[in-house]
Amino acid sequence: MKSQISSALSDFFFEYETPRQVLVRNRRVGVVCRLIQLGVLAYIIGWVFIYEKGYQSSDTAVSSVFSKMKGVGYTNVNGAERVWDVADYVFPPQGDSSFVVMTNYIITEGQKMGTCPELQGKANCTKDADCEGGSFKRTGHGQLTGVCVPANKTCEVLAWCPVENDHNIPDPPLLMSAENYTLFIKNSVTFPLFQVTRSNLVEGIDSSYIRKCLHDPEKAPLCPIFKLGDIVKLSGFNFETIAKEGGAIGIVVDWTCNLDVDIKHCKPKYNFHGLYGNPGETDKARASVGYNFRYAKHYLDGSVQKRTLLKVFGIRIDIIVQSLARKFDIIPTLTAIGSGVGIFGVATVVCDLVLLYLLPKREFYKNMKFKYTDTQAQHDSESLGLDTSVYYTLEANARQAQDTDRSNVSVYRSLDSRVDVSYFKCIHDHVMMRRILLVFSPLRGLNVSCSVDFDFDPTGP
């Protein structure tokens, strides 16, 4: 074990490997090599440079979104007429990138704090013992008082009375007029890396244009004013269906810019996506289809505090900014080129595997590709007056002959035919002679003495 470790360390520190190029004239290997190189070249040009834009650096934007709804709605419920403006149907009213437009509602007016019976199905009872005083039901409206109301067969609760009854959702939606509301989106983006700032109010969009334009994917794709009914339609929903129970829609403002061209070509594209609220969906989300929330308006009636409770069904709109800007940069360009040049080495690896392990003449190619050297062999070749490369060629042939079937004596004879003993010089150093006979293994049976004059001609027959 110690000698093996010493040998390994010695080989590591005192041996040097250097690449050697061998020109192989083989049509199959040549075609394979060129095909692989052609594929790598197509990958570099087509994918890295054209598709992935590997010659450009990229940056994402810091963005800000401002929104504003306009439009008036009208309802007539049991003879009670009402007009709804922006302050009534938009939540929150600040113009954020995420907001809700009310399209339907359930209203409970004149609620005040007190005791009243719970709704049927929330806390049913037949006697007071069924109503545990001071407890709460998860879906209830207040605190149980411990009293069972015989007329309703429900527990009495301390709550805002009368309690809300939301079992029946108005159909058709009360605010179908919301289909004609308009949404104005104002968006600005900044790409810090390139110090470029853009707004969706691009060249050609001024105040006079905004007053009369309405977004259309084909006719007016850059108009920042959208009709709510068109938004729902472009997202794949039916307005009456989504207006009844509510839902969510995403508006994506896409800034994908190539800053190598004129900056005026950096313009937004608007995409619309229905997020949830489609009754046609068949996944488990149908257990909670729609979007709703509650809010209350408090007021004083004399000295009694009261409130009006609304359960709002609406369309939640999320404005999402998606950005990516690219510009030429020498560093990623050189990196992409260097990576591509490195990938060309795949062709060499594949062709080497074919040469060394698959072709019939693999042993011959191995001897041509891999050469071994040491100082003793170099001294031997110089003593014989041979060129080092010729010496190693003969040694490789001898080794190849040894590795083949030893019963095939024709291999040794072919080697003997190239070596004429009469051409050797007499070497008085017996160690040198033993090494020569070791290299030319077919001559081991010859009786050679120093008195014979050897003169070896590597170019001879």
Side-chain angles (χ1 to χ4, degrees), residues 47-244:
W47 178 264
V48 176
F49 282 96
I50 297 177
Y51 185 80
E52 289 292 333
K53 302 293 189 296
Y55 59 91
Q56 294 176 319
S57 58
S58 61
D59 190 21
T60 55
V62 178
S63 66
S64 175
V65 176
F66 164 81
S67 63
K68 182 186 291 185
M69 291 292 302
K70 284 189 177 181
V72 177
Y74 169 81
T75 59
N76 186 342
V77 181
N78 299 325
E81 296 181 308
R82 180 170 178 176
V83 173
W84 301 78
D85 61 14
V86 176
D88 296 320
Y89 61 72
V90 175
F91 309 90
Q94 291 86 359
D96 292 340
S97 60
S98 181
F99 57 92
V100 178
V101 179
M102 182 171 65
T103 56
N104 204 4
Y105 63 89
I106 297 174
I107 187 170
T108 307
E109 298 180 304
Q111 285 186 321
K112 64 179 181 179
M113 189 61 63
T115 58
C116 54
E118 182 61 277
L119 285 180
Q120 288 286 343
K122 299 290 185 180
N124 295 337
C125 66
T126 56
K127 56 183 182 297
D128 291 347
D130 296 331
C131 304
E132 182 181 353
S135 63
F136 299 87
K137 295 290 185 179
R138 185 176 68 87
T139 59
H141 292 88
Q143 184 183 50
L144 300 180
T145 62
V147 177
C148 181
V149 181
N152 298 74
K153 293 185 179 180
T154 58
C155 296
E156 183 182 70
V157 292
L158 175 64
W160 287 95
C161 298
V163 295
E164 177 192 51
N165 184 354
D166 61 351
H167 290 164
N168 298 316
I169 301 174
D171 190 13
L174 298 176
L175 285 170
M176 278 296 294
S177 57
E179 188 174 8
N180 296 315
Y181 297 167
T182 58
L183 168 64
F184 170 61
I185 297 177
K186 187 176 181 180
N187 171 226
S188 62
V189 295
T190 299
F191 298 100
L193 180 63
F194 307 124
Q195 298 182 352
V196 172
T197 300
R198 295 289 287 168
S199 170
N200 66 329
L201 305 179
V202 296
E203 296 81 4
I205 298 181
D206 52 21
S207 57
S208 61
Y209 176 79
I210 290 178
R211 280 195 296 266
K212 62 182 181 180
C213 80
L214 195 63
H215 181 84
D216 183 274
E218 300 295 334
K219 299 178 180 179
L222 296 177
C223 179
I225 297 179
F226 308 83
K227 186 179 175 181
L228 186 59
D230 293 338
I231 294 175
V232 174
K233 182 180 179 181
L234 290 171
S235 65
F237 287 167
N238 176 270
F239 187 84
E240 183 175 352
T241 304
I242 196 174
K244 179 184 175 182

